[in-house]
Each structure stands twice: as C-alpha cells, then as structure tokens.
Amino acid sequence: MSAVGWGQGLMAPISPQRLSARRAAAVDGAAPTAGIQFYDGVWEPNVPEVKLTRSRDGENGVATFFFDEPSFFNFELEDDVPKDFITAMKMIDEEGTLTTPKVNARFVNGQPKTIEARVELVSPAEWDRFLRFMGRYAEANGLGFNKA
C-alpha cells in the first residue's frame, strides 16, 4: 500500500483567529462547505491529521483521521458535555454524507485526549468520492497534501 496524508503538520499552522472563527461557526451551527460531525448538527472545528493508504491495484484503501483533543473534550462546564455516545463520524459536503462507525477515543490518566476514526474505501468509486470530499475539506480548512 502507498501512503499519502493531509494534516496540520504538512502545512503552516492555522492562525488563532481562524481557529477561533471555526469554533464559533461550530457552536453557532453555521455549515462549512465541507465538514465533520461526531454529533448531529455539531460541526467539529478541530482539524485532524489524515493518513491514507491505498492498495497497489487501486481497488481499496483506508483513511485514518487523528483528532488531537477534539472540541467536545474541552468543555468548561460539565452541563455542556454531550450526553450521547459517539456512534459515527460524518463527513458532509455538497454531495451528501460519508459515514464511518469506526471511531475510537484514547484516554490518558482517565481523561479523553484523542479520537481516531477509520474509513474503509472498498471500491474505486468510494475512493474517488472520498477524495472529492477531502479536496473540499482541505480547501475549507487550509490543509496541505503530501504524497509520501
């Protein structure tokens, strides 16, 4: 499998003003052109690192999203913490919604620290659709793309 990736480590850091604007939009419910939700109607403002692998024949692949301290881990008041379980990661753009139920939290000293989501792409059509989403998501969030 070959590897490529999108992520903050592959580009200039996002300015605090831009991150603050994205957080405000997520709280206000303003829909980005392409975004991610763990809870219905709540846009995740934190941008993940994304790593892709694809089989040599191009028939299938895997996208792994790494969120370092997602926004819903950072509530000051306990009443603001979502009460529902995360059941999926939804990637939403103008074409519709891609969903993966393969979402895991990692804890350090009993505190949630990261979320890892895995998207399995089992056909060239799924791969192409995912890349279209990632192109829009990258543009909306200032991500770079590097081929490893």
Coordinates of all heavy atoms in Angstrom, one line a residue, residues 2-91:
S2 N 0.5 2.2 -0.7 CA 1.2 3.5 -0.7 C 0.5 4.4 0.3 O -0.7 4.2 0.6 CB 1.2 4.1 -2.1 OG -0.1 4.4 -2.5
A3 N 1.2 5.4 0.8 CA 0.7 6.3 1.8 C 0.7 7.8 1.4 O 1.7 8.2 0.7 CB 1.4 6.1 3.1
V4 N -0.3 8.5 1.7 CA -0.3 9.9 1.5 C -1.0 10.5 2.7 O -1.6 9.8 3.5 CB -1.1 10.3 0.2 CG1 -0.4 9.8 -1.0 CG2 -2.5 9.8 0.2
G5 N -1.0 11.8 2.9 CA -1.7 12.4 4.0 C -2.0 13.9 3.9 O -1.3 14.6 3.2
W6 N -3.0 14.2 4.6 CA -3.3 15.6 4.8 C -3.2 15.9 6.3 O -3.4 15.0 7.1 CB -4.8 15.9 4.5 CG -5.2 16.1 3.1 CD1 -5.1 17.2 2.4 CD2 -5.8 15.1 2.3 NE1 -5.6 17.0 1.1 CE2 -6.0 15.7 1.0 CE3 -6.1 13.7 2.4 CZ2 -6.5 15.0 -0.1 CZ3 -6.6 13.1 1.3 CH2 -6.8 13.7 0.1
G7 N -2.8 17.1 6.7 CA -2.7 17.4 8.1 C -2.0 18.7 8.4 O -1.4 19.3 7.6
Q8 N -2.2 19.1 9.6 CA -1.6 20.4 10.1 C -0.1 20.3 10.1 O 0.5 21.3 9.9 CB -2.2 20.7 11.4 CG -3.6 21.1 11.4 CD -4.2 21.5 12.7 OE1 -3.9 20.8 13.7 NE2 -4.9 22.5 12.8
G9 N 0.4 19.1 10.3 CA 1.9 19.0 10.3 C 2.5 19.2 8.9 O 3.7 19.3 8.8
L10 N 1.7 19.2 7.9 CA 2.1 19.2 6.5 C 1.9 20.6 5.9 O 2.1 20.8 4.7 CB 1.4 18.2 5.6 CG 1.4 16.8 6.2 CD1 0.5 15.9 5.3 CD2 2.8 16.3 6.2
M11 N 1.6 21.6 6.7 CA 1.4 23.0 6.3 C 1.7 24.0 7.3 O 2.1 23.6 8.4 CB -0.1 23.1 5.9 CG -1.0 23.0 7.0 SD -2.7 23.0 6.6 CE -3.3 22.2 8.1
A12 N 1.5 25.2 7.0 CA 1.7 26.3 8.0 C 0.6 26.1 9.1 O -0.5 25.7 8.7 CB 1.6 27.6 7.4
P13 N 0.9 26.5 10.3 CA -0.2 26.3 11.4 C -1.4 27.3 11.1 O -1.2 28.3 10.5 CB 0.6 26.8 12.6 CG 2.0 26.8 12.3 CD 2.1 26.9 10.8
I14 N -2.5 26.8 11.5 CA -3.7 27.7 11.4 C -3.6 28.8 12.5 O -3.3 28.5 13.6 CB -5.0 26.8 11.6 CG1 -5.1 25.8 10.5 CG2 -6.2 27.6 11.7 CD1 -6.2 24.8 10.7
S15 N -4.0 30.0 12.0 CA -3.9 31.1 12.9 C -4.9 31.0 14.0 O -6.0 30.4 13.8 CB -4.1 32.4 12.2 OG -5.5 32.5 11.8
P16 N -4.6 31.6 15.2 CA -5.6 31.5 16.3 C -7.0 32.2 15.9 O -8.0 31.7 16.3 CB -5.0 32.3 17.5 CG -3.5 32.2 17.2 CD -3.4 32.1 15.7
Q17 N -6.9 33.2 15.1 CA -8.1 33.9 14.7 C -9.0 33.0 13.8 O -10.2 32.9 14.0 CB -7.8 35.2 13.9 CG -7.1 36.2 14.7 CD -5.6 36.0 14.8 OE1 -5.0 35.2 14.1 NE2 -5.0 36.8 15.6
R18 N -8.3 32.2 12.9 CA -9.1 31.3 12.0 C -9.7 30.2 12.8 O -10.8 29.8 12.6 CB -8.1 30.8 10.9 CG -8.9 30.0 9.9 CD -8.1 29.8 8.7 NE -8.8 29.0 7.8 CZ -8.3 28.4 6.7 NH1 -7.1 28.5 6.5 NH2 -9.1 27.6 6.0
L19 N -8.9 29.6 13.7 CA -9.4 28.5 14.6 C -10.5 29.0 15.4 O -11.6 28.3 15.6 CB -8.3 28.0 15.5 CG -8.6 26.7 16.3 CD1 -9.1 25.6 15.4 CD2 -7.4 26.3 17.1
S20 N -10.4 30.2 16.0 CA -11.5 30.8 16.8 C -12.8 31.0 15.9 O -13.9 30.7 16.4 CB -11.0 32.1 17.4 OG -12.1 32.7 18.1
A21 N -12.6 31.4 14.7 CA -13.8 31.6 13.8 C -14.4 30.3 13.5 O -15.6 30.2 13.5 CB -13.3 32.3 12.5
R22 N -13.6 29.2 13.3 CA -14.2 27.9 13.1 C -14.9 27.4 14.3 O -16.0 26.8 14.2 CB -13.1 26.9 12.6 CG -12.7 27.1 11.2 CD -12.1 25.8 10.6 NE -11.2 25.2 11.4 CZ -9.9 25.2 11.3 NH1 -9.3 25.8 10.3 NH2 -9.1 24.5 12.1
R23 N -14.4 27.6 15.5 CA -15.0 27.2 16.7 C -16.4 27.9 16.9 O -17.4 27.3 17.2 CB -14.2 27.4 17.9 CG -13.1 26.4 18.1 CD -12.4 26.4 19.4 NE -11.5 25.4 19.5 CZ -10.2 25.5 19.7 NH1 -9.7 26.7 19.9 NH2 -9.4 24.5 19.8
A24 N -16.4 29.2 16.6 CA -17.6 30.0 16.7 C -18.6 29.5 15.7 O -19.8 29.3 16.0 CB -17.3 31.5 16.4
A25 N -18.2 29.2 14.5 CA -19.1 28.6 13.5 C -19.7 27.3 13.9 O -20.9 27.0 13.7 CB -18.4 28.5 12.1
A26 N -18.8 26.5 14.5 CA -19.3 25.2 15.0 C -20.3 25.3 16.1 O -21.3 24.6 16.1 CB -18.1 24.3 15.5
V27 N -20.1 26.3 17.0 CA -21.1 26.5 18.1 C -22.3 27.1 17.5 O -23.4 26.8 17.9 CB -20.4 27.4 19.2 CG1 -21.4 27.8 20.2 CG2 -19.3 26.7 19.9
D28 N -22.2 28.1 16.6 CA -23.4 28.7 16.1 C -24.2 27.8 15.1 O -25.3 28.2 14.7 CB -23.0 30.0 15.3 CG -22.4 31.1 16.3 OD1 -22.7 31.0 17.5 OD2 -21.8 32.0 15.8
G29 N -23.6 26.7 14.7 CA -24.2 25.8 13.8 C -24.1 26.2 12.3 O -24.7 25.6 11.5
A30 N -23.2 27.2 12.0 CA -23.0 27.6 10.6 C -22.4 26.4 9.9 O -21.4 25.9 10.3 CB -22.2 28.8 10.5
A31 N -22.9 26.0 8.7 CA -22.4 24.9 8.0 C -21.2 25.3 7.1 O -21.3 26.2 6.3 CB -23.5 24.3 7.1
P32 N -20.1 24.6 7.3 CA -19.0 24.8 6.4 C -19.3 24.2 5.0 O -20.2 23.4 4.9 CB -17.8 24.1 7.1 CG -18.5 23.1 7.9 CD -19.8 23.6 8.3
T33 N -18.4 24.5 4.0 CA -18.6 23.9 2.7 C -18.4 22.4 2.7 O -19.0 21.7 2.0 CB -17.7 24.6 1.6 OG1 -16.4 24.5 2.1 CG2 -18.1 26.0 1.4
A34 N -17.5 22.0 3.6 CA -17.2 20.6 3.9 C -16.8 20.5 5.3 O -15.9 21.2 5.7 CB -16.2 20.0 2.9
G35 N -17.4 19.6 6.1 CA -17.0 19.5 7.5 C -17.3 18.1 8.0 O -17.8 17.2 7.4
I36 N -16.9 18.0 9.3 CA -17.1 16.7 10.0 C -17.9 16.9 11.3 O -17.8 17.9 12.0 CB -15.7 16.2 10.4 CG1 -14.9 15.8 9.1 CG2 -15.7 15.0 11.4 CD1 -13.4 15.5 9.4
Q37 N -18.8 15.9 11.5 CA -19.6 15.9 12.7 C -19.5 14.6 13.4 O -19.4 13.5 12.8 CB -21.1 16.1 12.4 CG -21.4 17.5 11.8 CD -22.9 17.6 11.5 OE1 -23.7 16.7 11.7 NE2 -23.3 18.8 11.0
F38 N -19.4 14.6 14.8 CA -19.5 13.4 15.6 C -20.9 13.4 16.2 O -21.4 12.3 16.6 CB -18.4 13.4 16.7 CG -17.0 13.2 16.2 CD1 -16.2 14.3 16.0 CD2 -16.6 12.0 15.8 CE1 -14.9 14.1 15.5 CE2 -15.3 11.8 15.3 CZ -14.5 12.9 15.1
Y39 N -21.5 14.5 16.4 CA -22.8 14.7 17.0 C -23.7 15.4 15.9 O -23.2 16.4 15.3 CB -22.8 15.5 18.3 CG -22.1 14.8 19.4 CD1 -20.8 15.1 19.7 CD2 -22.7 13.8 20.1 CE1 -20.1 14.5 20.8 CE2 -22.0 13.1 21.2 CZ -20.8 13.5 21.5 OH -20.1 12.8 22.5
D40 N -24.9 14.9 15.7 CA -25.7 15.5 14.7 C -25.9 17.0 14.9 O -26.2 17.5 16.0 CB -27.1 14.9 14.7 CG -27.2 13.5 14.1 OD1 -26.2 13.2 13.3 OD2 -28.1 12.8 14.4
G41 N -25.6 17.8 13.8 CA -25.7 19.2 13.9 C -24.6 20.0 14.5 O -24.6 21.2 14.6
V42 N -23.6 19.3 15.0 CA -22.4 20.0 15.7 C -21.2 19.8 14.9 O -20.7 18.7 14.8 CB -22.2 19.5 17.1 CG1 -21.1 20.2 17.8 CG2 -23.5 19.6 17.9
W43 N -20.7 20.8 14.2 CA -19.5 20.7 13.4 C -18.3 20.7 14.3 O -18.1 21.5 15.2 CB -19.4 22.0 12.5 CG -20.6 22.0 11.5 CD1 -21.7 22.8 11.6 CD2 -20.8 21.2 10.4 NE1 -22.6 22.5 10.6 CE2 -22.0 21.5 9.8 CE3 -20.0 20.2 9.7 CZ2 -22.5 20.9 8.6 CZ3 -20.5 19.6 8.6 CH2 -21.7 20.0 8.1
E44 N -17.3 19.8 13.9 CA -16.1 19.7 14.7 C -15.1 20.7 14.1 O -14.7 20.6 13.0 CB -15.5 18.3 14.5 CG -14.1 18.1 15.2 CD -14.1 18.5 16.6 OE1 -15.0 18.1 17.4 OE2 -13.2 19.3 17.0
P45 N -14.7 21.7 14.9 CA -13.8 22.8 14.4 C -12.3 22.4 14.4 O -11.6 22.9 13.6 CB -14.0 23.9 15.4 CG -14.4 23.3 16.7 CD -15.2 22.0 16.3
N46 N -12.0 21.4 15.2 CA -10.6 20.9 15.2 C -10.3 20.1 13.9 O -11.0 19.2 13.6 CB -10.2 20.1 16.4 CG -10.3 21.0 17.7 OD1 -10.4 22.2 17.6 ND2 -10.2 20.4 18.8
V47 N -9.2 20.5 13.3 CA -8.9 19.8 12.0 C -7.9 18.6 12.3 O -6.9 18.8 13.0 CB -8.2 20.8 11.1 CG1 -7.8 20.1 9.8 CG2 -9.1 22.0 10.8
P48 N -8.3 17.4 11.8 CA -7.5 16.3 12.1 C -6.3 16.1 11.1 O -6.2 16.8 10.1 CB -8.4 15.1 11.8 CG -9.2 15.6 10.6 CD -9.4 17.1 11.0
E49 N -5.4 15.3 11.5 CA -4.3 14.8 10.6 C -5.0 13.6 9.9 O -5.7 12.8 10.6 CB -3.1 14.4 11.3 CG -2.0 13.9 10.4 CD -0.7 13.5 11.1 OE1 -0.4 14.1 12.2 OE2 0.0 12.7 10.6
V50 N -4.8 13.5 8.6 CA -5.4 12.4 7.9 C -4.3 11.6 7.1 O -3.5 12.2 6.4 CB -6.5 12.9 6.9 CG1 -7.1 11.8 6.1 CG2 -7.5 13.8 7.6
K51 N -4.3 10.3 7.3 CA -3.4 9.5 6.6 C -4.1 8.5 5.7 O -5.1 7.9 6.2 CB -2.5 8.7 7.6 CG -1.6 9.7 8.3 CD -0.5 9.0 9.1 CE 0.3 10.1 9.8 NZ 1.4 9.5 10.5
L52 N -3.7 8.4 4.5 CA -4.3 7.5 3.5 C -3.4 6.4 3.1 O -2.2 6.6 2.9 CB -4.8 8.2 2.3 CG -5.6 9.5 2.4 CD1 -5.8 10.2 1.1 CD2 -7.0 9.1 3.0
T53 N -4.0 5.2 2.9 CA -3.2 4.1 2.3 C -4.1 3.5 1.2 O -5.4 3.5 1.4 CB -2.8 3.0 3.3 OG1 -4.0 2.5 3.9 CG2 -1.8 3.5 4.3
R54 N -3.5 3.1 0.1 CA -4.3 2.5 -1.0 C -3.6 1.3 -1.5 O -2.3 1.3 -1.6 CB -4.4 3.6 -2.1 CG -5.4 3.2 -3.2 CD -5.7 4.4 -4.1 NE -6.8 4.1 -5.0 CZ -7.2 4.9 -5.9 NH1 -6.6 6.1 -6.1 NH2 -8.2 4.6 -6.7
S55 N -4.3 0.3 -1.9 CA -3.7 -0.9 -2.4 C -3.0 -0.6 -3.8 O -3.4 0.4 -4.4 CB -4.8 -2.0 -2.6 OG -5.7 -1.6 -3.6
R56 N -2.1 -1.4 -4.1 CA -1.3 -1.1 -5.4 C -2.3 -1.2 -6.6 O -2.0 -0.4 -7.5 CB -0.2 -2.2 -5.5 CG 0.9 -2.0 -4.5 CD 2.1 -2.9 -4.9 NE 3.0 -2.9 -3.8 CZ 3.9 -2.0 -3.6 NH1 4.0 -0.9 -4.3 NH2 4.8 -2.2 -2.6
D57 N -3.3 -2.0 -6.6 CA -4.2 -2.1 -7.7 C -5.3 -0.9 -7.7 O -6.0 -0.8 -8.6 CB -4.9 -3.4 -7.8 CG -5.8 -3.7 -6.6 OD1 -6.1 -2.9 -5.8 OD2 -6.3 -4.9 -6.6
G58 N -5.3 -0.1 -6.6 CA -6.2 1.0 -6.5 C -7.6 0.6 -6.2 O -8.5 1.5 -6.2
E59 N -7.9 -0.6 -5.9 CA -9.3 -1.1 -5.7 C -9.8 -0.7 -4.3 O -11.0 -0.6 -4.2 CB -9.3 -2.6 -5.8 CG -9.2 -3.1 -7.3 CD -10.3 -2.6 -8.2 OE1 -11.5 -2.8 -7.7 OE2 -10.1 -2.2 -9.3
N60 N -8.9 -0.6 -3.3 CA -9.4 -0.3 -2.0 C -8.4 0.5 -1.2 O -7.2 0.7 -1.7 CB -9.8 -1.5 -1.2 CG -8.7 -2.5 -1.1 OD1 -7.6 -2.2 -0.6 ND2 -8.9 -3.7 -1.6
G61 N -8.8 1.1 -0.1 CA -7.8 1.9 0.7 C -8.5 2.2 2.1 O -9.6 1.8 2.4
V62 N -7.7 2.9 2.9 CA -8.1 3.2 4.2 C -7.7 4.7 4.5 O -6.6 5.1 4.2 CB -7.5 2.3 5.3 CG1 -7.8 2.8 6.7 CG2 -7.9 0.9 5.1
A63 N -8.6 5.4 5.1 CA -8.3 6.8 5.5 C -8.4 6.8 7.1 O -9.4 6.3 7.6 CB -9.2 7.8 4.9
T64 N -7.3 7.2 7.7 CA -7.4 7.3 9.2 C -7.3 8.7 9.6 O -6.3 9.5 9.2 CB -6.2 6.5 9.8 OG1 -6.3 5.1 9.2 CG2 -6.3 6.4 11.3
F65 N -8.2 9.2 10.4 CA -8.3 10.6 10.9 C -7.8 10.6 12.4 O -8.3 9.8 13.2 CB -9.7 11.1 10.9 CG -10.3 11.3 9.5 CD1 -10.6 10.3 8.7 CD2 -10.5 12.6 9.1 CE1 -11.1 10.5 7.4 CE2 -11.0 12.9 7.8 CZ -11.3 11.8 7.0
F66 N -6.9 11.5 12.7 CA -6.4 11.6 14.1 C -6.8 13.0 14.6 O -6.3 14.0 14.0 CB -4.9 11.4 14.1 CG -4.4 10.1 13.6 CD1 -4.0 9.9 12.3 CD2 -4.4 9.0 14.5 CE1 -3.6 8.7 11.9 CE2 -4.0 7.8 14.1 CZ -3.6 7.6 12.8
F67 N -7.7 13.1 15.5 CA -8.1 14.4 16.1 C -7.4 14.5 17.5 O -7.6 13.6 18.4 CB -9.6 14.4 16.4 CG -10.4 14.5 15.1 CD1 -10.8 13.3 14.4 CD2 -10.8 15.7 14.6 CE1 -11.5 13.4 13.3 CE2 -11.6 15.8 13.5 CZ -12.0 14.6 12.8
D68 N -6.6 15.5 17.7 CA -5.9 15.7 18.9 C -6.8 16.7 19.7 O -7.0 17.8 19.4 CB -4.5 16.3 18.7 CG -3.7 16.4 20.0 OD1 -3.9 15.6 20.9 OD2 -2.9 17.4 20.1
E69 N -7.3 16.2 20.8 CA -8.2 16.9 21.7 C -9.4 17.6 21.0 O -9.4 18.8 20.8 CB -7.4 18.0 22.5 CG -6.4 17.3 23.5 CD -5.8 18.3 24.4 OE1 -6.3 19.4 24.6 OE2 -4.7 17.9 25.0
P70 N -10.3 16.8 20.4 CA -11.5 17.3 19.7 C -12.2 18.3 20.6 O -12.2 18.2 21.8 CB -12.3 16.1 19.4 CG -11.4 15.0 19.6 CD -10.3 15.3 20.5
S71 N -13.0 19.2 20.0 CA -13.6 20.3 20.7 C -14.5 19.8 21.8 O -14.6 20.4 22.9 CB -14.4 21.2 19.8 OG -15.4 20.5 19.2
F72 N -15.2 18.7 21.6 CA -16.2 18.2 22.7 C -15.5 17.7 23.9 O -16.1 17.3 24.9 CB -17.2 17.3 22.1 CG -16.6 16.1 21.3 CD1 -16.2 15.0 22.0 CD2 -16.5 16.2 20.0 CE1 -15.7 13.9 21.3 CE2 -15.9 15.2 19.2 CZ -15.5 14.0 19.9
F73 N -14.1 17.5 23.9 CA -13.4 17.1 25.1 C -13.0 18.4 25.9 O -12.5 18.2 27.0 CB -12.1 16.5 24.7 CG -12.2 15.1 24.1 CD1 -11.1 14.5 23.6 CD2 -13.4 14.4 24.2 CE1 -11.2 13.2 23.1 CE2 -13.5 13.1 23.7 CZ -12.4 12.5 23.2
N74 N -13.3 19.6 25.4 CA -12.8 20.8 26.1 C -13.9 21.7 26.6 O -13.8 22.9 26.5 CB -11.9 21.6 25.1 CG -10.7 20.8 24.6 OD1 -10.1 20.2 25.4 ND2 -10.4 20.8 23.3
F75 N -14.9 21.1 27.3 CA -15.9 21.9 27.8 C -15.6 22.4 29.2 O -15.0 21.6 30.0 CB -17.3 21.2 27.9 CG -17.9 21.0 26.5 CD1 -17.8 19.8 25.8 CD2 -18.6 22.0 25.9 CE1 -18.3 19.7 24.6 CE2 -19.1 21.9 24.7 CZ -19.0 20.7 24.0
E76 N -15.8 23.6 29.6 CA -15.5 24.1 30.9 C -16.6 23.7 31.9 O -16.3 23.5 33.1 CB -15.4 25.7 30.9 CG -14.2 26.1 30.1 CD -14.0 27.6 30.1 OE1 -14.6 28.3 31.0 OE2 -13.4 28.1 29.2
L77 N -17.8 23.6 31.5 CA -18.9 23.2 32.4 C -19.4 21.8 32.1 O -19.6 21.5 30.9 CB -20.1 24.2 32.2 CG -19.8 25.7 32.5 CD1 -21.0 26.5 32.1 CD2 -19.4 25.9 33.9
E78 N -19.5 21.0 33.1 CA -20.0 19.6 32.9 C -21.3 19.5 32.2 O -21.6 18.6 31.4 CB -20.0 18.9 34.2 CG -20.2 17.4 34.1 CD -20.1 16.7 35.4 OE1 -19.3 17.1 36.2 OE2 -20.8 15.7 35.6
D79 N -22.2 20.5 32.4 CA -23.5 20.5 31.8 C -23.4 20.7 30.2 O -24.3 20.3 29.5 CB -24.4 21.6 32.3 CG -24.8 21.3 33.8 OD1 -24.7 20.1 34.2 OD2 -25.3 22.3 34.4
D80 N -22.3 21.2 29.7 CA -22.1 21.4 28.3 C -21.6 20.2 27.6 O -21.6 20.1 26.4 CB -21.2 22.6 28.0 CG -21.7 23.9 28.5 OD1 -23.0 24.0 28.6 OD2 -20.9 24.8 28.7
V81 N -21.1 19.2 28.3 CA -20.6 18.0 27.7 C -21.7 17.2 27.1 O -22.7 16.9 27.8 CB -19.8 17.1 28.8 CG1 -19.3 15.8 28.1 CG2 -18.7 17.9 29.4
P82 N -21.6 16.8 25.8 CA -22.7 16.0 25.2 C -22.9 14.7 26.0 O -22.0 14.1 26.5 CB -22.1 15.7 23.8 CG -21.1 16.7 23.6 CD -20.5 17.1 24.9
K83 N -24.2 14.4 26.1 CA -24.6 13.2 26.9 C -24.7 11.9 26.0 O -24.6 10.8 26.5 CB -25.9 13.4 27.6 CG -25.9 14.6 28.5 CD -25.0 14.5 29.6 CE -25.1 15.7 30.5 NZ -23.9 16.5 30.7
D84 N -24.8 12.1 24.7 CA -24.9 11.0 23.8 C -23.5 10.3 23.6 O -22.5 11.0 23.6 CB -25.5 11.4 22.5 CG -26.9 11.9 22.6 OD1 -27.6 11.5 23.5 OD2 -27.3 12.8 21.8
F85 N -23.5 9.1 23.2 CA -22.3 8.4 22.8 C -22.0 8.8 21.3 O -22.9 9.1 20.5 CB -22.5 6.9 22.8 CG -22.6 6.3 24.2 CD1 -23.8 5.9 24.7 CD2 -21.5 6.3 25.0 CE1 -23.9 5.4 26.0 CE2 -21.6 5.8 26.3 CZ -22.8 5.3 26.8
I86 N -20.8 8.8 21.0 CA -20.4 9.0 19.6 C -20.6 7.6 18.9 O -20.0 6.6 19.3 CB -18.9 9.4 19.4 CG1 -18.7 10.8 20.1 CG2 -18.5 9.4 18.0 CD1 -17.3 11.2 20.2
T87 N -21.4 7.6 17.9 CA -21.7 6.3 17.2 C -21.0 6.3 15.8 O -21.0 5.3 15.2 CB -23.2 6.1 17.0 OG1 -23.8 7.2 16.3 CG2 -23.8 5.9 18.4
A88 N -20.6 7.5 15.3 CA -20.0 7.6 13.9 C -19.4 8.9 13.7 O -19.6 9.9 14.5 CB -21.1 7.4 12.9
M89 N -18.6 9.0 12.7 CA -18.0 10.2 12.2 C -18.7 10.5 10.9 O -18.7 9.6 10.0 CB -16.5 10.2 12.1 CG -15.9 11.5 11.5 SD -14.1 11.5 11.3 CE -14.0 10.6 9.8
K90 N -19.3 11.7 10.7 CA -19.9 12.0 9.4 C -19.1 13.1 8.7 O -18.7 14.1 9.3 CB -21.3 12.5 9.7 CG -22.2 11.5 10.3 CD -23.6 12.1 10.6 CE -24.4 11.1 11.4 NZ -25.6 11.7 12.0
M91 N -18.8 12.8 7.5 CA -18.1 13.8 6.6 C -19.1 14.3 5.6 O -19.7 13.6 4.8 CB -17.0 13.1 5.9 CG -15.9 12.5 6.9 SD -15.0 11.2 6.1 CE -16.1 9.8 6.3

